[in-house]
Amino acid sequence: APRRIAKKSSPKNDSSDSIDLRRISINEGSKGWKTAAAHIKNLKNATQAIGHVKLENKIGTSAADLEDGDPLKTITLATQRALQSFGGAGTIKSVTPDDALRSVEFDEAASAAAAAAETEAEEAYSTRQPAFQCFEMCHDKFKDIREAFGISEAQFYAVLGLQKKQVISSFSVIGSGDASGKSPSFFFLSPDQQYILKSCTTRDVKTLTRILSSYRDHVKSCAASADDDSAASSTNLSLLPRYLGLYKLIFQDDTPDVTLIVMTNFFAAAHEIHSKFDLKGSTYHREASEKERAKSAPVYKDLDWMREGRKIRFSTEDEVQSVRERLEADTLYLSSQKLIDYSLLVGIHEMKDGATNLRKRDEAMDIISARSSTEIQYFGLVDILTPFVAQKRAETICTGTLICRPGISCQPPKKYQKRFMNFVDEEILACTGTGTGTGNS
């Protein structure tokens, strides 16, 4: 993809299907944004979330606290300006004849200090904003996906977009050095911590756009009925990451260009998460390093989980089977798309003595959880965009076969899926046998 706006070209759309986007006029857009901004005040998720996501679960450094000149401070503000425009507050352009891409452009904007010293600027932000262009990819498919997850367009853009008279980003930031795992990605979180925006590689974009049509069909097929009260219930029965949007920002100055995937935060919980586990079903070197353990919120792995005798516990076998079927359906889908290296991310809240009267309505966010008499476990599948390509095949052959280490994480898709589900059956899901039911969210 090109790196400068001056070239007036756009990133390629890697989706195999054509994308039909409706052109939105500036008048319709402005009206739509005002409606969204007014409507957001009445949305249960938006109004409850800020007060109901446990303070201890809120992560990241406020973008407002970053040093001037930090590229992430520039990028967070630019991202929220662009999302405000896509929500209806600006002029949206259809880049391709079939509306496969939408874009918005912004001229350079002076900082408030510079504007006060020189001239009155129409838009004076807390930090200088270079000219940039933002592309919204696969809008129609992501709109369908958001609907399948029960997220309205008004809610999505109003939560993520820059609010009126706001001059600095309200996002929180997690740099690559503070994130768990080997990924160089950085993360932004929405003010209510419901949404995560993750920087992604060219390979991530290629993989996501390749599978997007089938992913949309899969999650739409998993939509929960209104009266569903099964274990770990939600507006959608899929445990896959909830991918909600894909955006590319191209800056005119030296600010790095970035592509961001928007997804929901599995850990936007009303109860403090005391420990976290990343489970792949592999035992080879799958334990938290000393460096990871030294962090304030370490993420533990498979061997740690097994040593502690952990389980996601349900009161009946029917509940166990329900969640198992959901995991199997999701992982079989990933296997069909030749994807590997995914994990089940589990967050655990240890309940205090007597704190057993916790029910679905305790959670303001639409997150997935299970409850036993002593714990609340929040969980979902993550990191699903790793294809089994030549490099991964070589890793399997060299490390797994030639060096005789069959327990390595990297395996062909079918073997990976089978091993993962074996681990689910043997080490993750369990029935307490109480028969009293669980509170679900």
Side-chain angles (χ1 to χ4, degrees):
R3 294 183 60 83
R4 295 293 168 256
I5 300 172
K7 295 183 180 180
K8 295 296 181 185
S9 57
S10 60
K12 294 180 180 180
N13 173 30
D14 292 310
S15 177
S16 57
D17 297 341
S18 61
I19 297 172
D20 182 20
L21 294 179
R22 179 172 57 86
R23 187 184 297 271
I24 303 176
S25 72
I26 185 169
N27 291 333
E28 291 173 333
S30 298
K31 181 179 179 181
W33 174 253
K34 292 176 182 178
T35 300
H39 182 57
I40 197 68
K41 296 178 181 179
N42 299 317
L43 290 173
K44 178 181 178 182
N45 279 1
T47 56
Q48 286 191 348
I50 294 176
H52 284 70
V53 174
K54 193 69 173 177
L55 179 62
E56 290 84 354
N57 295 339
K58 294 182 179 180
I59 55 178
T61 300
S62 171
D65 294 334
L66 296 176
E67 294 183 3
D68 290 337
D70 189 324
L72 293 182
K73 192 168 188 175
T74 298
I75 295 170
T76 52
L77 181 57
T79 301
Q80 288 200 265
R81 292 174 65 198
L83 285 164
Q84 180 192 34
S85 289
F86 284 125
T91 303
I92 302 171
K93 296 182 179 179
S94 298
V95 178
T96 57
D98 60 352
D99 287 338
L101 293 171
R102 302 198 307 171
S103 74
V104 289
E105 294 187 30
F106 297 87
D107 295 329
E108 182 171 358
S111 67
E118 298 173 11
T119 183
E120 291 187 7
E122 183 178 347
E123 292 180 325
Y125 298 102
S126 62
T127 185
R128 186 185 69 84
Q129 285 281 279
F132 73 95
Q133 189 171 13
C134 182
F135 296 93
E136 182 179 47
M137 295 180 248
C138 309
H139 169 74
D140 63 335
K141 292 180 183 179
F142 280 115
K143 184 177 180 180
D144 287 345
I145 291 165
R146 291 192 287 269
E147 182 179 355
F149 288 128
I151 299 171
S152 71
E153 296 299 280
Q155 177 192 12
F156 180 73
Y157 290 110
V159 169
L160 289 170
L162 199 69
Q163 300 300 307
K164 187 177 181 181
K165 296 183 179 180
Q166 191 176 340
V167 298
I168 194 167
S169 174
S170 55
F171 283 171
S172 296
V173 177
I174 303 175
S176 58
D178 297 321
S180 63
K182 300 177 182 178
S183 171
S185 299
F186 56 83
F187 303 82
F188 302 150
L189 289 100
S190 62
D192 61 4
Q193 301 260 312
Q194 181 180 9
Y195 301 123
I196 294 175
L197 297 86
K198 177 184 177 182
S199 65
C200 55
T201 64
T202 300
R203 189 192 71 181
D204 291 335
V205 174
K206 184 176 180 180
T207 302
L208 181 57
T209 52
R210 173 177 67 83
I211 71 169
L212 195 59
S213 291
S214 62
Y215 172 86
R216 174 185 60 183
D217 294 342
H218 179 78
V219 298
K220 286 176 70 174
S221 72
C222 296
S225 62
D227 58 351
D228 190 297
D229 195 32
S230 59
S233 64
S234 161
T235 57
N236 195 283
L237 299 180
S238 175
L239 295 170
L240 292 177
R242 300 184 172 193
Y243 295 128
L244 304 176
L246 185 62
Y247 301 88
K248 182 173 181 64
L249 288 87
I250 299 176
F251 294 91
Q252 197 171 22
D253 69 350
D254 294 332
T255 303
D257 299 341
V258 63
T259 303
L260 298 167
I261 297 176
V262 183
M263 65 190 85
T264 57
N265 178 10
F266 282 128
F267 289 165
H271 306 285
E272 180 181 359
I273 294 174
H274 297 111
S275 53
K276 302 175 185 178
F277 293 85
D278 181 275
L279 307 175
K280 292 182 182 292
S282 169
T283 54
Y284 179 67
H285 285 184
R286 290 290 297 166
E287 57 187 332
S289 65
E290 290 302 319
K291 179 180 178 181
E292 181 67 26
R293 292 172 185 273
K295 294 180 179 179
S296 58
V299 178
Y300 298 99
K301 298 183 180 180
D302 303 64
L303 290 174
D304 305 308
W305 175 272
M306 295 168 68
R307 286 173 187 143
E308 294 183 21
R310 296 281 187 176
K311 300 284 185 180
I312 298 178
R313 302 184 187 277
F314 299 91
S315 62
T316 69
E317 287 292 349
D318 285 345
E319 292 175 333
V320 173
Q321 187 62 22
S322 173
V323 174
R324 189 198 182 281
E325 289 174 356
R326 291 159 64 175
L327 280 169
E328 184 168 41
D330 287 336
T331 56
L332 284 173
Y333 165 73
L334 297 177
S335 178
S336 74
Q337 300 300 311
K338 295 180 169 50
L339 298 172
I340 62 169
D341 216 28
Y342 45 86
S343 309
L344 186 70
L345 189 64
V346 183
I348 297 174
H349 168 75
E350 309 281 354
M351 282 194 274
K352 297 179 180 179
D353 292 342
T356 58
N357 189 27
L358 298 174
R359 290 176 283 181
K360 182 173 182 177
R361 62 175 175 264
D362 296 327
E363 300 291 348
M365 299 299 189
D366 182 36
I367 56 179
I368 301 166
S369 68
R371 289 162 168 77
S372 69
S373 59
T374 59
E375 296 178 341
I376 304 175
Q377 302 109 342
Y378 302 91
F379 56 94
L381 292 165
V382 296
D383 298 335
I384 69 169
L385 297 179
T386 301
F388 190 65
V389 293
Q391 182 180 359
K392 287 295 182 180
R393 291 191 180 97
E395 180 182 339
T396 302
I397 293 171
C398 294
T399 307
T401 305
L402 299 181
I403 309 179
C404 300
R405 289 170 178 165
I408 64 167
S409 177
C410 183
Q411 295 288 339
K414 289 183 179 180
K415 287 186 177 180
Y416 191 99
Q417 188 273 340
K418 183 177 180 180
R419 184 187 64 189
F420 181 87
M421 288 306 302
N422 285 340
F423 192 81
V424 167
D425 291 335
E426 296 171 7
E427 302 292 347
I428 297 181
L429 300 182
C431 177
T432 62
T434 61
T436 58
T438 58
N440 309 307
S441 61

